[in-house]
Amino acid sequence: MSERQAGRRVTIKDVARRAGVSVATVSRVLGVSNYPVAAATRDRVMKVVRELDYVTNAHARSLAGGGTPTVAILMNNITGAAFAHVAKGVEGAATLRGWLSLVGTTGDDPERELALVNAMRQQGVAAVVLLGGAYDRTEYQTRMGRFARSLDAAGSHLVLVGRPPLEGDVPATTVNYDNEAGAYAMASHVLSAGHRRVLVLPGPAGLTTAQGRLKGARRAFDAYGVPFDPGLVRHGSYDYEHGFSAVREVLARGADFTAVLAGTDVVAAGATQALKVTGLRVPDDVSVAGYDDIPLASHVTPQLTTVHVPYEEMGRVALRAVADRRAGDVLAGPGAGRPAEAEHLVLGTHVVVRDSVRPPRPGR
Amino acid sequence: MSERQAGRRVTIKDVARRAGVSVATVSRVLGVSNYPVAAATRDRVMKVVRELDYVTNAHARSLAGGGTPTVAILMNNITGAAFAHVAKGVEGAATLRGWLSLVGTTGDDPERELALVNAMRQQGVAAVVLLGGAYDRTEYQTRMGRFARSLDAAGSHLVLVGRPPLEGDVPATTVNYDNEAGAYAMASHVLSAGHRRVLVLPGPAGLTTAQGRLKGARRAFDAYGVPFDPGLVRHGSYDYEHGFSAVREVLARGADFTAVLAGTDVVAAGATQALKVTGLRVPDDVSVAGYDDIPLASHVTPQLTTVHVPYEEMGRVALRAVADRRAGDVLAGPGAGRPAEAEHLVLGTHVVVRDSVRPPRPGR
DNA sequence: TTGAAAGCGCTACCAT
DNA sequence: ATGGTAGCGCTTTCAA
């Protein structure tokens, strides 16, 4: 292994000089296109590349026109299991195609989100994937519209995963799951088991995800002719603590219910724990249903009956969508000015029956 | 919002022309250094920047000398909670300093790991952080030594998080936690509760993490004068399934034990479940101890007594180490050829007492 | 099959 | 305080 001056990167010139060829030739040997180069020359170059442990400068390559396509994945929190699975899907599909992926976290801060989108634009990423539900305000629509157009103008593209499509003619792709249908199916499952008084913990009020889950549940109640009790709906964040405290408070209030429809598996875990410490057994006394089907769902006792959301696949689909789009652009030729089309993909969800839901005990 | 030809990025020249100034001036207005520019000029430039929605090309900037420092975080699996927390720590600390962070996953594949390290070298990242335990073979040492030197030669730096330091004079930084001490403390806690027959599930044989946890447990057994039964040690992967099946099999074999020392919280969750389905109560009949203290530990019932590992802080510390190193380089001046020093940082662990460990029932 | 040279977009140095 | 311009390392015509 040859010693070099620390910090001074080996360049294509060093390789060319040492191999006794021009930089153009080195570039051809290393480049993606299989430009014809004499076998002997190629070998000589490769030998020097190994000796010098040379790697091309991605920035220079990118500037000069080449460059590896890159996707940026932006999420609130990398430690959220559902998001992590989407990221895994995107990353896997990206790697498969030789793409690079960046991950950035916004910490739910619009400022940081903006900064990151701009940073990604600076990097010249092929696409920016934004993960997670959104608070549906007008301001949000405006903001995303701006992102979409901004990215589009720079030859990039915005992909929204897990949020509803943007209104109007915005150049963004949406990958979503049938959130409301999942909630409808889960609620139906609980109602058809015979439950009539059920506590609903949809999630944060105003979050599109929570709204969809609540709406789905409501539709099921209507379908079963079961009156929907607003007193049995508690909004709150998608975390264990909320599940726990919501159940404790409702119980303390003396409210009566035989099942809990939780907004996420984590909330369901919190609810279950609250029930247990109160001396109620799950599912013997009270049933609990989750949503998401993250690994936690099968790691708690009883294992949660929940709604499976194909998070990882959503990630794969999202990447495929941008990759296809890009291939299309290439076919159409540069500057073809393809109209800013918006694509909406929706994946299915389904109930996974495990052990946390059971018919209510007779007399309750 | 002005319409521009799709795909053609706005450049500094466009801004300069429209603002009626030179590109140098625009660069000064937008650059990091606060080079003196007349307020009026600055305003004019900024106005055009906003009008054109201009962002600098990170590749060009990077090539020309400027550029945002970037850390790359490489891990096996983004969905592992422990790793995700380290990544969060790195990311947070990076953002705080205006650094960018990339995340890549290797899927436990050495090929992919190599490809990623090279990709990161191409990107000219300031540091590559490698997460997670390692299989301690000679080949591994060689491999990492190569990575370290390669990165070092390119002015970058290798940081190993959660693995032991490399042997010899290798230019790499290590950030680790006191793995063995944590295991020792956990085992002591269990032994001091009175347990004498305990099932140990250290993790994958050959993984440094698992070796350390086993060694720590062993030392505690010695200290308590409790014979260590090799028949009560089961290696296996760090997942729920292993915890579950290991306990089932040992139980089926008719082996007797009153406590389980699991290699991770996830394994502990699996073990707990196996115990429960066999009709054994936790912790009444059998105690279970975890390791890692990821959120899952407090989401299961009973909440796990476990070893807290400061994952997120390790991430922060790792980033700080490279950032300081870099600042040192700047002070020393370019090409100062600082010796390739290896820094080893170790953070503490401690037992978190919750509900899964209790003295064995009398007579057992 | 190979080489020479013109940029890619930006920063930093040297002038003014 | 501002402008001109030489590179940064690479890819890609255009010539030979």
Side-chain angles (χ1 to χ4, degrees), chain A residues 12-318:
Chain A
I12 197 172
K13 272 189 197 158
D14 298 323
V15 176
R17 196 175 314 123
R18 196 128 123 106
V21 298
S22 71
V23 295
T25 300
V26 176
S27 175
R28 282 168 192 142
V29 170
L30 267 34
V32 280
S33 77
N34 29 28
Y35 194 97
V37 177
T41 311
R42 176 180 301 272
D43 290 348
R44 196 142 34 90
V45 170
M46 285 313 291
K47 183 161 165 287
V48 174
V49 164
R50 274 189 299 272
E51 282 171 5
L52 261 37
D53 196 15
Y54 168 78
V55 288
T56 41
N57 180 323
H59 298 301
R61 170 176 284 184
S62 188
L63 235 204
T68 318
T70 305
V71 230
I73 310 168
L74 268 31
M75 51 186 145
N76 284 335
N77 186 351
I78 196 175
T79 62
F83 293 167
H85 279 90
V86 178
K88 188 181 183 184
V90 173
E91 241 243 311
T95 302
L96 213 64
R97 290 170 171 75
W99 287 34
L100 222 51
S101 43
L102 313 190
V103 175
T105 60
T106 62
D108 238 326
D109 176 6
E111 296 284 352
R112 241 180 97 34
E113 187 181 62
L114 173 59
L116 274 170
V117 169
N118 278 333
M120 295 311 145
R121 205 142 59 92
Q122 292 183 15
Q123 299 290 324
V125 299
V128 173
V129 178
L130 239 40
L131 300 191
Y135 290 90
D136 202 8
R137 308 202 199 89
T138 327
E139 180 215 326
Y140 164 78
Q141 291 280 341
T142 316
R143 181 184 187 74
M144 289 303 130
R146 234 198 290 279
F147 283 172
R149 270 182 264 275
S150 203
L151 255 6
D152 188 71
S156 184
H157 189 67
L158 179 66
V159 183
L160 267 20
V161 172
R163 7 183 127 176
L166 260 20
E167 290 155 16
D169 185 30
V170 178
T173 297
T174 314
V175 178
N176 211 349
Y177 53 95
D178 200 342
N179 188 24
E180 196 179 321
Y184 179 85
M186 186 74 259
S188 300
H189 177 75
V190 168
L191 293 171
S192 73
H195 294 277
R196 287 300 172 263
R197 289 186 307 283
V198 0
L199 175 62
V200 183
L201 309 175
L207 192 68
T208 54
T209 318
Q211 290 168 348
R213 293 180 187 184
L214 178 57
K215 213 195 256 178
R218 238 184 149 126
R219 267 200 13 239
F221 276 72
D222 288 349
Y224 276 74
V226 175
F228 192 83
D229 180 357
L232 244 29
V233 175
R234 300 276 303 211
H235 285 280
S237 42
Y238 275 149
D239 57 31
Y240 184 87
E241 286 66 33
H242 168 61
F244 188 86
S245 59
V247 165
R248 294 225 76 164
E249 286 164 23
V250 171
L251 244 24
R253 221 177 52 202
D256 193 28
F257 56 89
T258 64
V260 180
L261 273 176
T264 68
D265 292 336
V266 175
V267 171
T272 302
Q273 178 68 3
L275 258 7
K276 285 182 178 174
V277 302
T278 315
L280 261 13
R281 287 163 307 163
V282 177
D284 312 67
D285 299 316
V286 179
S287 290
V288 175
Y291 206 118
D292 280 351
D293 195 24
I294 58 174
L296 170 71
S298 47
H299 293 175
V300 294
T301 321
Q303 300 194 324
L304 287 173
T305 286
T306 186
V307 177
H308 179 77
V309 179
Y311 286 115
E312 196 170 333
E313 198 194 341
M314 285 168 70
R316 272 184 254 120
V317 166

Side-chain angles (χ1 to χ4, degrees), chain B residues 7-98:
Chain B
R8 185 15 198 91
R9 275 179 75 160
V10 178
T11 74
I12 197 172
K13 272 187 197 159
D14 299 323
V15 177
R17 196 174 316 125
R18 193 118 119 102
V21 297
S22 71
V23 294
T25 300
V26 177
S27 176
R28 282 168 193 139
V29 171
L30 265 35
V32 280
S33 77
N34 30 27
Y35 194 97
V37 176
T41 312
R42 176 179 301 273
D43 291 349
R44 195 143 32 92
V45 170
M46 287 311 293
K47 183 162 165 285
V48 174
V49 165
R50 274 189 298 273
E51 281 170 5
L52 262 35
D53 197 16
Y54 168 79
V55 289
T56 41
N57 180 323
H59 299 300
R61 168 177 283 183
S62 185
L63 237 203
T68 318
T70 306
V71 233
I73 310 167
L74 267 32
M75 52 185 145
N76 285 334
N77 186 350
I78 197 175
T79 61
F83 294 167
H85 280 90
V86 178
K88 186 182 183 184
V90 173
E91 241 245 311
T95 302
L96 214 63
R97 290 170 171 75

